[in-house]
Amino acid sequence: MLKYLQNKLGNQRKRKRILYERLTEPLHLNLLSIFVALFGSFEQKIEFDLVIRQQYAFCLLQAAKFAKSMEIQSVTAIEFGVAAGAGLLNICEITKKITQETGVQFQIFGFDSGQGLPPPRDYRDIPETFKKGDYPIVDKEKLLQALPDNAKLIVGDIAETVPEFIKTISQDSPIGFIAVDVDYYWSAKECLKVLLGEAEKYLPITLIHLDDIGIPSSNPWVGELLAVNEFNAENSYRKIHPYTFLRNRRIFKHTRWIDHIFVMHTLDHKRRSIKYEQTKVQVLSNPYL
Ligand SMILES: C[S@@+](CC[C@H](N)C(=O)[O-])C[C@H]1O[C@@H](n2cnc3c(N)ncnc32)[C@H](O)[C@@H]1O
């Protein structure tokens, strides 16, 4: 709780977000949050947006729930763009707690060049905001030491590391979440290739967090949104789309992260095939009879 408050109140940008996103929500929900923060389960804390890196926490919990409903014991989670490693360590911490509550295990991978951003190639990489060398891994050894046994850092150009990596993914631990935080269009395009392996290497609904779509210069013709649009145009059975009606499903609706959550629909997954047999027929009750 103390860590959460320090994280939130420690910098001006975050304080501003609390003002715009949290204090504009109904008072009774904010009061209820205090109770959940003190006595709630980890899942309830995620429901009430009380977890550091809430955007990842929502996706990871959802991936665990989808996996559990399919009796899958383990899920792979990936962060593309690690930099100093705060996000990757957040994933490790969050998944540890989700595993305790759901029983679903996680295999975690972080991908990064290690040297910060490569050179931008043209206007599609939003060079007015991002430049070569931004966000290097500050202390690789320290980061490696901090990673738990189920997490791995894969260093190198994503264009080169991803093709080999896909071969290692097994359907026993399908990819359930990817965080795309590589700033450029061309790097994002390379990240999304991780979604083009055999269908059972993914959950039928794989969660995606797109980090860099909230800056003013982002639009569908540059950056991550362009990479997503091209992915959809190029692939008939893999489609990336915003998480359907997510805002309606959340208690706190003003928070920005909701707009960053997308999913890949694995349309060629065997669970989505007409040949897949549902075990139980669904029956609707009628309260008027
Ligand atoms: C904004 S930082 C990531 C921040 C991190 N996700 C966090 O929340 O703490 C973007 C990172 O993407 C990495 N990156 C961008 N393009 C890359 C590429 N083609 N290959 C490998 N790493 C890349 C850069 O090295 C940089 O560290």
Side-chain angles (χ1 to χ4, degrees):
M1 180 68 180
L2 201 64
K3 210 162 130 197
Y4 178 79
L5 286 177
Q6 275 168 353
N7 179 284
K8 288 290 174 193
L9 301 175
N11 97 27
Q12 199 193 3
R13 189 174 54 90
K14 287 183 181 167
R15 284 198 296 273
K16 199 170 167 191
R17 268 172 73 173
I18 291 179
L19 178 65
Y20 281 74
E21 297 182 8
R22 196 72 181 205
L23 298 182
T24 52
E25 297 280 8
L27 181 62
H28 69 280
L29 292 178
N30 276 312
L31 289 175
L32 199 56
S33 292
I34 299 172
F35 183 78
V36 173
L38 293 173
F39 306 110
S41 66
F42 193 61
E43 182 171 344
Q44 286 165 339
K45 286 178 187 161
I46 295 175
E47 284 304 307
F48 275 79
D49 283 9
L50 291 168
V51 172
I52 295 173
R53 203 118 5 187
Q54 176 64 36
Q55 63 277 36
Y56 286 5
F58 166 78
C59 292
L60 291 160
L61 176 63
Q62 206 54 51
K65 286 182 173 176
F66 286 149
K68 203 168 178 179
S69 71
M70 295 168 64
E71 293 173 13
I72 292 172
Q73 322 285 331
S74 176
V75 163
T76 295
I78 303 170
E79 184 180 52
F80 288 109
V82 171
L88 189 61
L89 291 179
N90 290 149
I91 293 180
C92 297
E93 193 60 27
I94 291 165
T95 50
K96 196 167 88 185
K97 294 182 177 147
I98 293 177
T99 298
Q100 280 164 8
E101 289 193 8
T102 63
V104 176
Q105 306 285 325
F106 284 88
Q107 305 304 317
I108 300 157
F109 296 90
F111 284 78
D112 203 283
S113 69
Q115 287 148 10
L117 292 178
R121 294 182 177 171
D122 60 37
Y123 72 93
R124 293 173 295 180
D125 296 328
I126 320 184
E128 68 273 33
T129 305
F130 305 116
K131 63 180 184 307
K132 180 175 180 243
D134 280 348
Y135 318 120
I137 293 185
V138 188
D139 191 335
K140 187 173 148 204
E141 285 318 307
K142 222 171 168 180
L143 177 58
L144 290 175
Q145 278 167 23
L147 292 179
D149 291 345
N150 63 337
K152 211 174 153 201
L153 182 63
I154 300 179
V155 177
D157 184 343
I158 287 163
E160 286 157 23
T161 51
V162 162
E164 278 309 303
F165 173 75
I166 309 176
K167 294 181 197 158
T168 68
I169 294 295
S170 119
Q171 48 181 314
D172 295 334
S173 186
I175 297 176
F177 170 55
I178 70 168
V180 180
D181 189 7
V182 288
D183 305 332
Y184 291 159
Y185 152 74
W186 80 260
S187 296
K189 190 142 170 123
E190 295 300 332
C191 295
L192 296 182
K193 289 183 183 165
V194 82
L195 300 173
L196 295 176
E198 294 143 45
E200 275 65 44
K201 292 187 177 208
Y202 311 95
L203 292 179
I205 296 175
T206 293
L207 286 104
I208 303 175
H209 180 262
L210 298 179
D211 192 74
D212 301 301
I213 60 173
I215 54 175
S217 46
S218 168
N219 63 66
W221 297 273
V222 302
E224 291 167 0
L225 287 178
L226 176 60
V228 164
N229 288 341
E230 290 185 357
F231 179 95
N232 287 335
E234 288 161 9
N235 298 289
S236 305
Y237 295 104
R238 309 284 161 89
K239 297 291 182 189
I240 299 175
H241 182 71
Y243 193 113
T244 307
F245 288 125
L246 181 55
R247 197 170 298 282
N248 296 60
R249 296 171 205 262
R250 298 300 302 169
I251 296 168
F252 292 101
K253 299 180 193 306
H254 296 175
T255 173
R256 270 173 70 134
W257 67 261
I258 292 174
D259 295 322
H260 291 255
I261 309 299
F262 285 63
V263 303
M264 176 183 72
H265 293 278
T266 315
L267 300 177
D268 51 345
H269 197 283
K270 66 173 182 237
R271 292 275 182 150
R272 297 183 98 146
S273 154
I274 51 167
K275 291 188 188 128
Y276 181 75
E277 282 188 26
Q278 300 276 3
T279 43
K280 241 169 97 186
V281 169
Q282 306 179 79
V283 181
L284 294 178
S285 64
N286 184 343
Y288 310 107
L289 288 180

